Structures are given as structure tokens and as C-alpha cells.
Amino acid sequence: MAMNPGSKPVLQHSTATAGGMAEAHPAPPSGLLRWLLTTNHKEIGSLYLIFSLVMFFIGGIFAMVVRAELFQPGLQLVQPEFFNQMTTMHGLIMVFAAVMPAFTGLANWMIPLQIGAPDMALPRLNNFSFWLLPVAFTLLLSTLFMPGGGPNFGWTFYAPLSTTYGPPSTTFFILSLHIAGISSILGAINIIATILNMRAPGMRMMDMPLFVWTWLITSFLLIAVMPVLAGVITMMLMDINFGTSFFDAAGGGDPVLFQHLFWFFGHPEVYIMILPAFGIVSAIIPTFARKRLFGYASMVYATAAIAILSFLVWAHHMFVVGLPLVAELFFMYCTMLIAVPTGVKVFNWITTLFRGSISFEPPMLFALAFVVLFTIGGFSGLMLAIAPADFQYHDTYFVVAHFHYVLVPGAVFAIMAGVYYWLPKWTGHYPNERLAQWHFWLSVVGVNLTFFPMHFAGLAGMPRRIPDYALQFADFNLVSSLGAFLFGASQLLFVAVVVLCVRGGRRAPAQAWDYAEDLEWSVPSPAPLHTFDTPPTFERPAH
Amino acid sequence: MTSSDPHRDNRAGVRRTVWRSVAALAGMFAFAFALVPLYDVFCQVTGLNGKVNNSAQAVMHDGVDESRLVTVQFITRSGSGLPWQLEVETRQMRVHPGQPTEVSFTFDNQGDEESWGRAVPSVSPSQASQHLRKISCFCFDEQRLEAGERRDIPLVFQLSRDLPPDVKTVTLVYTLYPVEARNAPQQASAVTLEGEQS
Ligand SMILES: [Cu+2]
């Protein structure tokens, strides 16, 4: 979404703070080739963001199909087979093609700027990791048109539903997930290499902005669990095509093993989608509260603690598979323990706000909504962590409500907050205030109308992933569907704001927000194509 | 970590980071596959997934615990494309721990050609799986049945005396699987050919 500063193809060099003379950069090729071959972190960041926005809409259309079918009881619009493909594809696209690439895009744009590096450590690898994504997801989307249809087994693709009983296109699904996984892994290596080796002279680890810290920890998580995902889908591939029996009880395998392996990846994966959000919110709240962030060090340690604990809780997704009592207790207590570092974070944000001189620009609105609504998602997560209670909640709409609260007003709102916050740096213009306010309020109302009633439907026993439901759930589903249409439509406003902001608008100075103090605000707005050719000298803010 | 000019002098640092990451990646990929045998060993030691020993065990002669009775239930399931039926003479019995007991199962091939199959056992609750000793069982081998053949095969089992006292009922489930047709094209996928993309 962020248009590259090179739409005015003038070779600028970073000025002022970057200081000094830098060597000239060769002129980029023109037209499409420029985007295909670019190794510039800002252009690749923009590509990631545009890609994820497109995928956000494609995954959103799938969600609209689901909500339209659930608008009233009975089967009206689609067949159950197609409904299953829609829920599955919605989940896969939103997780792997919308949320994850959006955070990677923000990382590409902002991490070099925030640590005073001229680019990512491995620019050509960076180009490769991006271009793997369109390949992966074109392949994934094309399965919808194959005989037998696309994946229809839920985004968690439990075996043997996805192996013995999966559609013939499952092999393509596996291939596309492999490619997307390689892309994330390469992106993670690049980010770690950049952060560890390319910080401005004088910037210690504990001086880094929290967005950089959270992304560093996220990258470690990616390196730890993406290979496990790759392993699981490789085993699936072998079960389907080469006659092995990893997950097939007939040949001595065990379907429950699939769930253990999948959730060993899957739980850290949900933190991969939320830790960078914590970083963004930790940048925005101090800026618009005009106070320093309360408890910087505790934020870093809390993030690390969440990451470590995320490896010890996977079986909370499996309380009903028949775990022994000891295991139920272990995973229940470990899961509840995660509320402690997460609570530290929420406490720090609120304390930062306390007696702050707060103003409500669009980034701040989204960040504040994040804190409130993500916390609701956290609380329902705590409820689900209670093993005996989970026996009732398991596989109901309560779970759907929970993870949508942490992912939509959680991760997605944080991404939008980040986009509104950094748009002035990317484009040199402030986003249109009125439209952005409309976008925010419609989104907040839409999100809560969509997902709050799902708590009640779930507690009353409505199962997830079913195209039809009993009559007593009709009202809840009607409200959810109306909310979803509202939320979906209001995202068009978001596109309008971004496009208008690229085209023009009130001009933004280098320091676009008064109290923003990280390094990115020391380069001009819009940020020139090449910044920090000469490393800046990092000065610790005196407080 | 930051040298005088981190931007150009740190290629070595970047290279080191990359190699360490690649090593970690390879390690985690191998770890995922290592988890498969580890899981099996772990389950065999603890009996967690209800899997039982796949070979005959000797009878334990340490007496019969007449003071308690445990209900043992048998459930048989066919399916997976094998035209067989598995029946058990009695669905439920009460036994004393330590008492060797024989039950007769009937395999019935209702198809019109000979086929190979196997009954895969599973015990629940899982903590009972280590205390259910099978002295002789058809589940150790694959079976071959002629078209229309019926065959009675006995199961001899014994509940060990150290079965946890809170276990009052043990359920033994046998699921029939075809042995050779296992990798034949699945039928489920063909069903969705119509009706999709509506
Ligand atoms: Cu989890």
C-alpha cells in the first residue's frame, strides 16, 4: 500500500542525519522489471504490503461467502462441500498470505530505518522471499478450480481428514505451503541478520525500538517452528503419495501424532502473528500519549517469556483427544502462565497512558482499540485454557470468537495502526483524517457486531465449520453476518485512504508525529529510496 | 557487536548469522521427524495413546484378585473399504484381574473375492493399555479370508493385578483395515466431483 518514493524517480540521498556524502546508486530498471528485480528494502516492503492487502480482500471475500451462507439457518447459497473449502481457504489465506506478509512488509520497511541500516542484510534474498509468495498463493487459490475442489479440511488440515479423505488437490496445497514456508524462513533469516549485524554505531540491543525487538523474537520463533510445519506436511505428502503411515492407524501410524506436531508449530505460529503487533502498539501509544513507554525492559523480557512459553502449551488445543490427567494439568497451567507476561504488557501500555496528554489520531485509535479488544480475546483464551471448561467450548463458536478477537482487532488492527502511523513517512502525506476516522469507527462497530455474538452462540453449543445450524442460533448469526458485511465494506475505506494518501494530502515533515522519537523520524518524509548510506550516530534519548 | 562501520565490515557477521540460522533450521526439520519415533517410544513406555503391545505376552502367574471385578467391553468396527465384518461372541464381560480369559471373535468376508485385512487394537482409558496383556491375539498378524469365508479366532487376554484401582471399565476396540488396498485411490475424493463450485 505504501507507494514507493521512487514514483518520483529522483535519486535522493539521505540528508541531514544520514549526513555526509554517499556513493551513487545505479538507476533502477524501469517498468515492471524494476519491481521484479528490486533489492531495495522499501520497495520490497511496499510489495509485501500490497500483496497482503490484496490477499486480505480475497480471504475477506471467502469470509463473506461463509457469513452469507450463515445469514439464516438452512442451506441457501452454497453446497456444504464448497462451504468447507471457503472456511479452509479463508483461514489459510488470512494466516499465511495476509497477516504474516503484512508484518514482514512492515519489517522490511521499518527495521532498517529504525536501526539506522542502509538496507536489509541480504537484499537479493529479500527479493526472492517476496516473489515466492505470489507463486505459493496463486497455486493455492488455483486448487479451487481443480477437480474435487480445494482444501476442505479446515486450516488445521488434521490427518487423516486431509490425507485419506482429502481432495486430490491436497498435494498442491502441500506444495504451496512449502513455498510459503520457505519464504517466511528466508525472511526471518534476513531480519535476524539485519538486526544483529547492522545496527547504527552506539545502538545496543536494549536501545532498539520494541518493533525491532518483537520482530527479532518472532524471527527466532519462525526459524524454530516453520521447519516443523514443513516436516508435518512432508509426512502428509508421503502418506498420500508414497504409502507411508505416519498418520494412518491402519499401517501403525497415529492421527493424534499429527495434532501434536501441528500444534507444536501452530501455537508458536499464533505468537508469530501477534508479537510484532505488540511492537507496533508499543511505538504508537507513547507517541500519542506524549510520554515515554513505561517499562521498556519488562516489555522485552515479557516478549521473550511469551515466546519461550509458547513451546510448552501446544496440547491446550487437544484437551479432548484423551490426554492423561497429568498432561491436561500441565498444559492448562502453562497456558494460564502466559497470561502473566501478557498482563505485564497490557499493564505497561495502560500505565503509559496514565496521565498522558493523549490525542486521538487514527493510529492511536487503532492502537487503543487493539489494547481493549485484544485483551477480550486474551480473556476468552484464559477461559479456553481451563481444561474441564474446554470440554464444553471445544470446536464451538466460542473458539471462533476467541481467535478472531486476537487476530482481527488484535493483529489486523495493529497492522492498520502501523500503516496509519507510518504512512506519512512512506508517502510524505498525512492520511485523510475524516475518512480514517470513519474507517476506524465502522471497523470497530463491525468487528464487535461480527465476533461478540459468536461467544454466546458458542457457549450455547453451536459447532464451528458447519454450513447450517439449529434455529435457536438464528439471531446471533444474523447479527454476526450483518456485522461482517459492515466490517468487510468498511475496509474499502481503508483502500481509499491509502490511495488518497499516496496521491496527495497534507504534507508531513520528517518528524510527522510530535513525540515520535525513533530513528525513522530523522529521515525526510517521504523517505528517500536510499537512507543511512552513512550510518547515523545513535544518541540515547536523555530522560 | 557494532564495529566502527557496521554497514560494510559486517559481512562476516551476517554470514555467521546465516549459517547458524541454517543449522538451526536443519536441526528443527530433523527434530520434527525424530518426534515420530520419540512419540512411539514415549507412548509405549507410558501407554498414552492406547496402543497395546504388538506381540504375544506370557501369562502372569501371580494369582487372581478375587476381590475386584472389572468390566471389559469389546467394540469392533469395519469400514475403510474392506467388505469384512468382525463380530465378538460377547460385547461385555466382568473379569477378575489376573484371570486369563478367552473370547471368540468371528471374521466374515462378505465380499466376492479373497482379501487381506488386519484388526488394529486400541485400549481406552489409555492408562489401562499397559495392564491389558494379550496372550494370543489375531491382531498380531494379517488375516487372509476367501470369498464368503467365516472364521472364528480366539483372543486370550489377562488384566494384570496392578491395574489402577480407579479403572472400573476397560474398552478394547478393534478396527478392521484392508492390508493391500490401503493405498488404492480413495473414494471420498470422487464424491465431491459434482456439487463443488456451485
Ligand atoms: Cu495455542
Side-chain angles (χ1 to χ4, degrees), chain A residues 483-516:
Chain A
F485 301 146
L486 176 66
F487 180 76
S490 50
Q491 299 324 304
L492 295 171
L493 279 177
F494 179 60
V495 179
V497 174
V498 172
V499 171
L500 286 177
C501 188
V502 172
R503 293 265 188 86
R506 194 158 61 85
R507 296 214 62 92
Q511 170 121 4
W513 311 106
D514 288 340
Y515 200 81

Side-chain angles (χ1 to χ4, degrees), chain A residues 160 165 248-253 255, chain B residues 50 52 54 74-82 84-87 91 105 107 116-123 134 137-143 171-179 182:
Chain A
Y165 305 101
D248 186 356
Chain B
V52 272
N54 251 345
F74 302 99
I75 297 177
T76 55
R77 292 191 298 209
S78 22
S80 301
L82 190 67
W84 289 17
Q85 275 240 299
L86 180 58
E87 278 153 41
R91 300 222 146 258
F105 284 74
F107 286 75
W116 284 85
R118 179 184 194 128
V120 176
S122 166
V123 175
K134 283 188 278 188
C137 180
F138 45 82
C139 54
F140 303 144
D141 311 293
E142 294 161 2
Q143 316 287 332
T171 309
L172 183 53
V173 182
Y174 283 106
T175 311
L176 280 176
Y177 288 105
V179 170
R182 210 154 40 75

Side-chain angles (χ1 to χ4, degrees), chain A residues 143 149 151 153 162-163 166-175 236-237 240:
Chain A
T143 59
F153 28 67
S162 58
T163 50
S169 64
T170 306
T171 303
F172 291 95
F173 153 79
I174 292 172
L175 182 61
M236 278 175 64
L237 187 77
I240 294 172

Side-chain angles (χ1 to χ4, degrees), chain A residues 398-431:
Chain A
F398 192 80
V399 180
V400 179
H402 157 68
F403 69 73
H404 279 94
Y405 259 91
V406 289
L407 282 176
V408 186
V412 172
F413 271 27
I415 291 166
M416 286 171 173
V419 169
Y420 281 126
Y421 184 57
W422 284 311
L423 263 177
K425 182 54 61 192
W426 299 337
T427 67
H429 309 120
Y430 286 101

Side-chain angles (χ1 to χ4, degrees), chain A residues 263 266-267 270 313-314 316-317:
Chain A
W263 287 114
H267 192 83
V270 305
V313 299
W314 76 89
H316 62 207
H317 299 268

Side-chain angles (χ1 to χ4, degrees), chain A residues 231-505:
Chain A
V232 181
I233 57 180
T234 306
M235 291 175 206
M236 278 175 64
L237 187 77
M238 285 157 55
D239 270 11
I240 294 172
N241 296 307
F242 306 121
T244 57
S245 307
F246 286 102
F247 309 127
D248 186 356
D254 193 334
V256 176
L257 172 65
F258 176 91
Q259 298 183 27
H260 282 292
L261 290 174
F262 178 83
W263 287 114
F264 188 82
F265 147 80
H267 192 83
E269 166 71 17
V270 305
Y271 292 132
I272 286 165
M273 292 189 284
I274 204 66
L275 295 185
F278 292 164
I280 295 170
V281 170
S282 302
I284 292 175
I285 286 183
T287 300
F288 296 95
R290 292 163 181 79
K291 276 175 67 187
R292 275 197 92 191
L293 180 71
F294 182 85
Y296 169 88
S298 69
M299 285 294 210
V300 173
Y301 295 130
T303 311
I306 293 174
I308 292 167
L309 281 174
S310 74
F311 289 102
L312 299 175
V313 299
W314 76 89
H316 62 207
H317 299 268
M318 305 166 56
F319 280 144
V320 300
V321 301
L323 297 177
L325 187 65
V326 190
E328 305 252 341
L329 288 171
F330 173 82
F331 288 109
M332 174 170 117
Y333 288 131
C334 280
T335 305
M336 294 177 133
L337 208 55
I338 293 188
V340 176
T342 316
V344 168
K345 288 186 159 294
V346 175
F347 176 84
N348 286 347
W349 291 323
I350 293 173
T351 312
T352 307
L353 290 167
F354 183 65
R355 293 194 170 163
S357 152
I358 304 175
S359 58
F360 297 94
E361 283 87 346
M364 184 61 158
L365 287 175
F366 275 97
L368 291 175
F370 171 92
V371 174
V372 175
L373 300 176
F374 172 79
T375 305
I376 292 179
F379 279 137
S380 58
L382 263 180
M383 290 171 71
L384 288 162
I386 304 167
D390 181 71
F391 276 59
Q392 185 191 339
Y393 307 152
H394 190 88
D395 252 341
T396 67
Y397 261 82
F398 192 80
V399 180
V400 179
H402 157 68
F403 69 73
H404 279 94
Y405 259 91
V406 289
L407 282 176
V408 186
V412 172
F413 271 27
I415 291 166
M416 286 171 173
V419 169
Y420 281 126
Y421 184 57
W422 284 311
L423 263 177
K425 182 54 61 192
W426 299 337
T427 67
H429 309 120
Y430 286 101
N432 182 310
E433 180 77 17
R434 261 169 79 89
L435 275 182
Q437 295 265 354
W438 272 102
H439 170 231
F440 171 75
W441 287 108
L442 291 177
S443 294
V444 160
V445 171
V447 140
N448 285 295
L449 275 182
T450 312
F451 299 117
F452 212 81
M454 291 184 184
H455 289 114
F456 305 126
L459 288 178
M462 180 171 164
R464 59 189 286 213
R465 293 174 168 155
I466 308 282
D468 189 7
Y469 49 83
L471 285 180
Q472 71 263 33
F473 305 124
D475 293 344
F476 291 139
N477 278 283
L478 179 86
V479 176
S480 278
S481 287
L482 290 175
F485 301 146
L486 176 66
F487 180 76
S490 50
Q491 299 324 304
L492 295 171
L493 279 177
F494 179 60
V495 179
V497 174
V498 172
V499 171
L500 286 177
C501 188
V502 172
R503 293 265 188 86

Side-chain angles (χ1 to χ4, degrees), chain A residues 90-104:
Chain A
H90 164 70
L92 290 170
I93 293 287
M94 286 306 196
V95 168
F96 293 104
V99 172
M100 289 173 72
F103 280 127
T104 315

